Amino acid sequence: MPGTQVSAVDIVIFGGSGDLTARKLLPSLYLAHRDGALPPKFRVICVGRHRWDDSDFRDFLDNQARPFIEKQHYSDEAWSAFTSTVIWRTLDATKPEDYDELKPLLDAGSVRVFFLAMASTLFEHVIRNIDSAGLNTPLTRIVLEKPLGTDLASAKAINTTVASVFTEKQIYRIDHYLGKETVQNLIALRFGNAIFEPLWRAPTVKSVQITVAETVGVGSRGEFYDATGAMRDMIQNHLLQVLCIVAMEPPASLDPDAVRDEKMKVLRSLKPMTLADIARDTVRGVYVPGQVKCDPVKGYHDEKGIPADSTTETFVALRTEVNTWRWANVPFFLRTGKSMQERVSEVVIDFADVPHSMFGGSVLRHNRLVISLQRDDSVRLHLMAKEPGDGMNVRPVSLAFDFKTSFNSRRADAYERLLLDVIRGRQTLFVRDDELEAAWAWAEPIIEGWKKLGERPRPYAAGSWGPAAASALIAREGAHWHEEM
């Protein structure tokens, strides 16, 4: 992957006291620092509106960020060395004069990373104020955290604003799913193994499933989530990005634009949905009281910040197609939900049935390749094999590759990997402006279609796998969700 060696970096995190900073950004930077992956000279500057002194910020680091570092990776010495490079500055993102305080903190010859871990409604203020304060240099990169808009118009507005100050080579639209080791392994699995290429297409592939299921509900994010919903929060970005990697043609190289050009072709090839398609091929759901892992869970409408008359979905399952020769008539099933039975992120490639069974009354399951992106980080190929004994009875078996047992080295967290790529100037795992707009152009008509249909989300018990209609959706194609096999 292209990139340059960097000797010095200044990382400025807007939203420096936020949940993302505490849970992901600072722990990831700590691990990179501990393992010697950061440049020799670096500084992290967290900024926000809190009027904190050094003691207040130290409390934030110790009480809010440190608990998200796994015990086996933590040491007092390493934490102290890392936090000595992290400072706090009070700054109102909307006030241009506040940016003058950043000038003396930034080294003129260092790579500058501005990470916008904040609401996208503030992006324009930050971008223009960085520019007016003279903080943009040829070595500057700007990282935009999702959600990147709420529809196509707002996504275009964000792209227009950031492009007025920064070149596309400086812009890093982050989707942390692309930083997951197993998502990247999809590229290696597909294009590094000749045995898969003849099979990775219609009619050998019968269907493709992409599932991201969470056991947690909306928690403290109720107000934000109710204005967003599962379609905007997960499918428009995470699941579509994974679909692109599954479905794209081989890029000429791992050059950022070579990979992203192929992803764009997939997004442009997604079958547009008519209102009739939306009514037939999508299922919306909302969780109601139930149990997750034996713990009682209240329903979505009982969560803090959720209006009683909310029609926001917490679950979506849908069927789509990629209109190319490789994937002609192959259904792609996307599914995501909150308060579900298991925490799972996986891709399932369902291969076609054998044309003729010679095993009498044996019940055959067709072969499937299961790539687990979250939970056990594994790849499993499900096959049929003969049972021991005199008869010729067959049953399912699997060949498994597990990251944890196959590699001894620590796997970088998604944000850790992506932050290092930003520092080194590697854009392959980041979303380009046209990708963002193409994803919204496909997703927005579905959201608008739901409004026209006027149907409320179907209830599903917390701790289940979603509404029964989601199973019926995939069963129409003679398929089943992976956990139902």
Side-chain angles (χ1 to χ4, degrees):
M1 294 173 68
T4 57
Q5 293 299 315
V6 175
S7 60
V9 63
D10 293 322
I11 302 171
V12 182
I13 302 176
F14 289 85
S17 62
D19 188 55
L20 177 65
T21 301
R23 288 189 303 110
K24 295 294 185 181
L25 303 185
L26 291 175
S28 294
L29 288 169
Y30 159 80
L31 290 170
H33 174 258
R34 190 203 66 159
D35 291 352
L38 290 177
K41 183 181 177 183
F42 79 98
R43 172 178 285 179
V44 181
I45 306 164
C46 294
V47 302
R49 299 179 70 173
H50 289 298
R51 297 196 173 278
W52 283 346
D53 58 23
D54 290 344
S55 176
D56 296 326
F57 186 52
R58 170 59 62 178
D59 288 342
F60 167 77
L61 294 173
D62 290 340
N63 298 327
Q64 301 298 319
R66 189 171 67 183
F68 289 97
I69 300 168
E70 295 180 5
K71 290 182 179 179
Q72 67 267 32
H73 301 314
Y74 175 81
S75 75
D76 288 337
E77 182 180 1
W79 179 247
S80 178
F82 169 69
T83 55
S84 68
T85 69
V86 184
I87 63 173
W88 173 263
R89 285 295 182 270
T90 299
L91 180 147
D92 185 332
T94 65
K95 295 182 177 179
E97 61 272 18
D98 283 9
Y99 288 70
D100 291 337
E101 288 198 30
L102 292 177
K103 286 183 180 179
L105 300 176
L106 303 176
D107 191 314
S110 295
V111 166
R112 295 179 181 179
V113 175
F114 294 106
F115 197 117
L116 276 56
M118 61 204 315
S120 60
T121 52
L122 293 171
F123 284 1
E124 181 174 0
H125 295 289
V126 176
I127 291 165
R128 297 202 183 284
N129 288 336
I130 286 172
D131 185 46
S132 63
L135 302 179
N136 183 16
T137 73
L139 293 176
T140 294
R141 294 83 146 104
I142 187 160
V143 185
L144 306 180
E145 179 61 48
K146 83 172 192 74
L148 291 170
T150 57
D151 53 22
L152 180 58
S154 57
K156 285 183 173 180
I158 290 172
N159 278 341
T160 298
T161 298
V162 71
S164 69
V165 174
F166 300 97
T167 68
E168 186 62 28
K169 294 292 186 183
Q170 293 178 287
I171 304 167
Y172 294 74
R173 299 171 190 84
I174 199 165
D175 185 326
H176 73 270
Y177 258 70
L178 296 180
K180 290 181 178 292
E181 192 74 54
T182 333
V183 173
Q184 294 172 58
N185 201 52
L186 269 171
I187 298 175
L189 184 73
R190 281 202 57 193
F191 305 125
N193 297 284
I195 60 172
F196 286 118
E197 178 54 30
L199 307 178
W200 209 274
R201 63 183 63 242
T204 313
V205 173
K206 183 177 182 179
S207 66
V208 178
Q209 302 173 28
I210 302 174
T211 294
V212 177
E214 301 176 280
T215 54
V216 297
V218 297
S220 61
R221 300 170 69 228
E223 187 175 345
F224 161 79
Y225 194 89
D226 198 62
T228 306
M231 186 71 181
R232 289 185 176 96
D233 191 44
M234 297 297 294
I235 288 184
Q236 179 273 331
N237 40 70
H238 298 329
L239 274 76
L240 284 188
Q241 285 293 317
V242 175
L243 184 152
C244 286
I245 295 174
V246 172
M248 71 182 183
E249 295 299 316
S253 70
L254 289 178
D255 176 78
D257 282 329
V259 174
R260 296 190 292 186
D261 284 346
E262 296 304 331
K263 287 164 60 186
M264 263 302 297
K265 292 176 185 177
V266 175
L267 290 170
R268 290 188 180 123
S269 300
L270 282 174
K271 177 184 175 182
M273 283 197 178
T274 65
L275 196 61
D277 293 330
I278 295 166
R280 183 186 63 246
D281 293 337
T282 71
V283 176
R284 289 203 306 155
V286 62
Y287 64 87
V288 297
Q291 286 191 332
V292 177
K293 303 294 185 182
C294 298
D295 294 325
V297 174
K298 56 188 175 183
Y300 177 73
H301 292 95
D302 299 319
E303 301 277 16
K304 183 178 179 182
I306 306 301
D309 60 350
S310 170
T311 59
T312 298
E313 77 282 351
T314 63
F315 173 96
V316 173
L318 61 83
R319 178 196 187 279
T320 189
E321 293 181 16
V322 178
N323 289 331
T324 62
W325 281 21
R326 180 185 290 271
W327 298 111
N329 301 315
V330 174
F332 282 72
F333 297 100
L334 309 185
R335 178 178 58 160
T336 187
K338 288 191 170 294
S339 288
M340 297 185 72
Q341 188 170 338
E342 299 283 347
R343 182 172 179 258
V344 173
S345 295
E346 65 185 11
V347 176
V348 178
I349 310 295
D350 241 340
F351 294 100
D353 299 322
V354 293
H356 170 70
S357 173
M358 63 184 71
F359 299 103
S362 300
V363 177
L364 289 181
R365 300 182 186 181
H366 36 255
N367 306 137
R368 54 178 42 185
L369 182 68
V370 180
I371 303 118
S372 177
L373 312 177
Q374 187 168 274
R375 185 173 59 180
D376 57 1
D377 289 356
S378 63
V379 177
R380 283 179 167 77
L381 180 61
H382 294 264
L383 308 167
M384 304 305 295
K386 177 188 173 298
E387 289 183 343
D390 293 337
M392 195 60 182
N393 298 320
V394 297
R395 65 180 178 87
V397 296
S398 63
L399 304 176
F401 158 63
D402 190 307
F403 278 90
K404 294 178 183 177
T405 57
S406 298
F407 298 105
N408 294 323
S409 57
R410 180 183 70 83
R411 288 169 297 145
D413 172 82
Y415 272 99
E416 180 184 351
R417 177 180 301 279
L418 293 173
L419 283 165
L420 290 174
D421 278 357
V422 173
I423 293 169
R424 295 164 183 165
R426 298 172 173 172
Q427 289 189 302
T428 303
L429 301 178
F430 295 85
V431 179
R432 202 166 59 190
D433 55 350
D434 53 354
E435 286 183 79
L436 173 64
E437 293 179 15
W440 273 118
W442 178 81
E444 186 177 39
I446 299 174
I447 297 170
E448 293 303 312
W450 287 335
K451 293 178 182 177
K452 292 177 182 177
L453 291 169
E455 297 176 356
R456 296 181 66 86
R458 301 168 186 261
Y460 65 95
S464 71
W465 282 104
S471 294
L473 170 70
I474 194 171
R476 292 203 307 259
E477 309 280 346
H480 303 277
W481 297 111
H482 179 48
E483 74 278 354
E484 297 173 344
M485 291 293 289

